[in-house]
Structures are given as C-alpha cells and as structure tokens.
C-alpha cells in the first residue's frame, strides 16, 4: 500500500547506485514507494551484507530538497541490526554523521527513523556510507526519501 506522501519524494522511481559486499548495482528498490513493514523483513526492506555500503543519490535533485529520510530495521532474532553509523558525503567532504537508534519494542524489534535537514550543493552526488554494527548482523533499509521544497 502506498502512502500519498511517497509520491512527493524527489527520488520516487529513480535508480540509485548501491555498492555492498564488493558488488555494485543500480536499483529502484529504495525508491519504489514501498515502506518496510515493522514485523517482516521480507516486505519492503533491502537486506545488505554486514560490510560498508555506499548508496549514491543524484546531485541534480539536491537543490530541490529540504530533508532526507531513511529507516533501518532492528530484528536480532533474524540477525538484522541497525548500522553503527551513517555518514553523508558530497564532493569528497563528510557533511554529517548519523547514529541510528531503533525505537525497540517487544523482543528488541524496532525501526530507527533518520530524518535529516539538508543543505547541499546541487551538482555533486550525495553518498550515504553505511557502516555495519559490531554484531556482524545484516542491515535492512527501506525507502530513501527526498522531501521537496515547498513552492
């Protein structure tokens, strides 16, 4: 089920370059409007190997955006943990470090919601560098949203 707000994401339907575990792929998995379900890692989540991951976001959209949002799943029973940190890079400079913290519920299952105000250049791509937790568990991320500026 799509939430109307997903249609407002500047990234909706765009391919992003994802580098994980020595492999690169262009994918719409993180921009398809399908949020991850909190009780099922099979629905809406992209599972990542527990190694440094880079996701490239086209820079030509950045001057039209006010915020970036992304979420991670915490589900230890299935060996899924939130990353230890996420770094946001542009033009070879680190702009921000985010340390996701899940809103743990029953059985330590939860979602870490990351909402970041952005002020970046429009011409350089933005790179999210995702660092795994020390647990060695996989990482599950759902949608990456770019909120458009109000007209």
């Amino acid at each position: 089920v799509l939430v109307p707000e997903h249609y407002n994401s500047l990234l909706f339907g765009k391919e992003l370059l994802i580098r994980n575990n020595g492999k690169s792929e262009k994918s719409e998995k993180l921009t398809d409007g399908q949020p991850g379900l909190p009780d099922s890692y099979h629905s809406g989540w992209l599972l990542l190997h527990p190694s440094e991951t880079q996701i490239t976001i086209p820079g030509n959209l950045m001057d039209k955006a006010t915020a970036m949002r992304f979420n991670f799943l915490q589900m230890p029973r299935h060996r899924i943990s939130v990353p230890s940190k996420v770094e946001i890079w542009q033009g070879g400079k680190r702009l921000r470090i985010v340390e996701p913290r899940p809103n743990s519920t029953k059985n330590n299952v939860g979602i870490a919601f990351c909402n970041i105000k952005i002020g970046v250049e429009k011409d350089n791509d933005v790179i999210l560098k995702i660092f795994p937790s020390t647990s060695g568990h996989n990482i599950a991320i759902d949608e990456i949203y770019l909120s458009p500026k109000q007209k």
Side-chain angles (χ1 to χ4, degrees):
V1 178
L2 296 178
V3 177
E5 181 180 29
H6 294 143
Y7 290 107
N8 291 332
S9 174
L10 295 171
L11 289 175
F12 184 75
K14 305 269 191 253
E15 282 190 338
L16 302 181
L17 179 62
I18 302 168
R19 293 183 181 98
N20 177 254
N21 196 27
K23 299 175 186 169
S24 295
E25 71 170 304
K26 285 192 173 185
S27 176
E28 294 176 10
K29 292 176 187 172
L30 297 174
T31 62
D32 63 2
Q34 298 295 319
L37 298 179
D39 59 349
S40 174
Y41 66 91
H42 297 290
S43 299
W45 298 99
L46 174 64
L47 289 177
L48 301 170
H49 183 270
S51 58
E52 182 182 326
T53 299
Q54 291 188 10
I55 300 172
T56 303
I57 300 170
N60 63 345
L61 298 172
M62 301 314 291
D63 67 327
K64 299 174 181 82
T66 58
M68 180 186 313
R69 295 192 322 250
F70 44 89
N71 307 317
F72 297 100
L73 181 64
Q74 170 84 17
M75 194 174 271
R77 178 180 62 162
H78 294 289
R79 299 188 49 78
I80 298 171
S81 294
V82 300
S84 61
K85 68 179 176 177
V86 178
E87 296 180 351
I88 301 171
W89 289 74
Q90 187 181 42
K93 296 179 184 173
R94 185 176 64 199
L95 305 176
R96 169 105 24 97
I97 298 174
V98 179
E99 295 179 353
R101 297 289 174 251
N103 61 347
S104 295
T105 57
K106 183 179 170 186
N107 298 324
N108 201 25
V109 172
I111 296 177
F113 299 97
C114 302
N115 190 5
I116 303 160
K117 290 190 185 280
I118 54 174
V120 295
E121 304 166 13
K122 73 173 188 174
D123 295 328
N124 291 318
D125 290 345
V126 170
I127 298 173
L128 299 181
K129 292 184 179 182
I130 302 170
F131 295 87
S133 71
T134 56
S135 69
H137 292 176
N138 289 327
I139 296 169
I141 182 172
D142 67 352
E143 292 289 291
I144 298 177
Y145 306 101
L146 279 185
S147 301
K149 291 180 179 175
Q150 300 298 320
K151 295 181 182 182

